[in-house]
Amino acid sequence: MFSLKPKEEKFFELFREGAGIVKEGSQLMQNMMSCYECMEDRLAELLKLQKRGDEVTETIIRRLDETFITPFDREDIYSLARGLDEILDAICSSVDKMVLYKIGKPLEEFQQMVEVFGKNTETISETVLLLRDIKKNYSVIMENCQEIKRLESEGDHLYRLGVAQLFEGRLPLLDVMKWKEVYQQIEKALDRSEKIGKTIQGVVLKYA
C-alpha cells in the first residue's frame, strides 16, 4: 500500500510559495514608490523573484504530469499556477519600463494604484493558503474572492482616472506616452488578479 497524500500536499506548498513570491514582488514595487532612486536595484531583485516564480510554475506543471490524484481539477491547478506567473510578469514589465524610460518620481495616481494592487496580492496570498481545507474555509475564501474583485474594480477606476489626467497637459507628450505604457502594465496585473479570484471561486464551488 502507498499514499498519494504527500504529492497532493506538495501542490499546496507550491501554491503558497508562488503566491508568496507574487506578494513579495508587489511589496518591492510599493517600496519603489518612496525610493524611486533605487529603482534599478529593485528591478534586479524583481528579476530574481521572477526566475523563482518561473521555477515554481514549471514544478507545478511537471507535477501535474507525474501525479495521478490531484487536490482539484488539473485545469484549475494549471490556471492558478499560470495566473500567479502572469501577475509577476506584469509587475516586472511595469518596473522594467519605468527604469527603461527613466520616468523619475512616480505620479501620485500611479502610487495609489500600486497600493491597491498590493492589497490585492496580500488577499490572494492569504486565500491561496486557505485552499488546503476548502470546506472549513469556504466562507472566508468566498469573501476574499469578492474583495479581490472589489480591489480590481477600485484599481481599474484609478487606472482610468490616471490615464485621463495624463492628457490634461501637465506633462510633455513623450512623458505621457511613457506613463501610459506603465499604467497599462499594472492594470494588466490587476486584471490577472481578478482572473485568479475567479479561478479560486470556481474551485471552491466545485469542491465545497
Side-chain angles (χ1 to χ4, degrees):
M1 296 293 292
F2 63 94
S3 173
L4 293 171
K5 191 69 173 176
K7 289 188 177 181
E8 292 184 42
E9 288 296 319
K10 188 64 179 177
F11 282 109
F12 294 116
E13 294 172 14
L14 289 166
F15 284 141
R16 176 189 57 77
E17 185 178 359
I21 290 171
V22 168
K23 179 181 174 182
E24 189 177 346
S26 174
Q27 289 171 339
L28 270 176
M29 191 176 191
Q30 289 180 77
N31 291 341
M32 292 175 206
M33 298 302 101
S34 57
C35 185
Y36 61 93
E37 300 92 344
C38 310
M39 205 167 284
E40 272 193 68
D41 294 334
R42 298 291 85 79
L43 176 59
E45 294 177 47
L46 268 175
L47 292 176
K48 290 179 182 178
L49 276 179
Q50 186 181 38
K51 184 177 179 181
R52 282 174 52 200
D54 288 342
E55 290 170 354
V56 170
T57 302
E58 290 168 5
T59 301
I60 291 174
I61 293 172
R62 186 173 66 250
R63 282 187 173 274
L64 275 177
D65 291 332
E66 299 171 349
T67 306
F68 182 66
I69 297 177
T70 55
F72 37 86
D73 286 353
R74 294 173 185 274
E75 301 82 26
D76 293 327
I77 291 175
Y78 180 82
S79 294
L80 187 53
R82 289 298 307 164
L84 291 170
D85 191 56
E86 288 170 356
I87 291 176
L88 192 58
D89 286 348
I91 294 173
C92 291
S93 180
S94 182
V95 175
D96 183 55
K97 289 183 184 299
M98 293 174 79
V99 172
L100 182 65
Y101 295 156
K102 297 180 171 62
I103 57 178
K105 183 178 180 180
L107 300 175
E108 183 179 347
E109 297 81 9
F110 182 77
Q111 293 185 48
Q112 293 173 1
M113 196 172 174
V114 169
E115 183 179 349
V116 169
F117 173 64
K119 292 177 182 177
N120 222 351
T121 59
E122 289 178 10
T123 306
I124 289 170
S125 181
E126 174 190 329
T127 308
V128 166
L129 294 177
L130 298 174
L131 288 174
R132 192 181 293 269
D133 193 337
I134 290 175
K135 292 184 183 296
K136 176 182 176 181
N137 300 315
Y138 175 84
S139 296
V140 179
I141 294 173
M142 294 301 281
E143 287 173 7
N144 284 2
C145 288
Q146 289 302 310
E147 179 66 2
I148 290 168
K149 180 178 176 60
R150 187 194 70 77
L151 286 167
E152 192 279 334
S153 296
E154 183 179 344
D156 196 47
H157 171 73
L158 289 169
Y159 167 73
R160 293 194 303 271
L161 180 64
V163 170
Q165 290 178 345
L166 288 177
F167 293 94
E168 290 182 349
R170 292 184 294 169
L171 296 174
L173 180 58
L174 187 57
D175 287 345
V176 170
M177 295 170 63
K178 292 175 180 179
W179 269 110
K180 190 171 184 295
E181 282 198 45
V182 174
Y183 268 116
Q184 286 173 338
Q185 291 304 312
I186 194 66
E187 200 266 340
K188 182 186 293 185
L190 276 162
D191 284 346
R192 295 294 185 270
S193 68
E194 183 187 26
K195 182 180 176 182
I196 287 233
K198 289 179 179 178
T199 299
I200 292 173
Q201 194 172 39
V203 169
V204 171
L205 290 173
K206 287 179 188 176
Y207 293 95

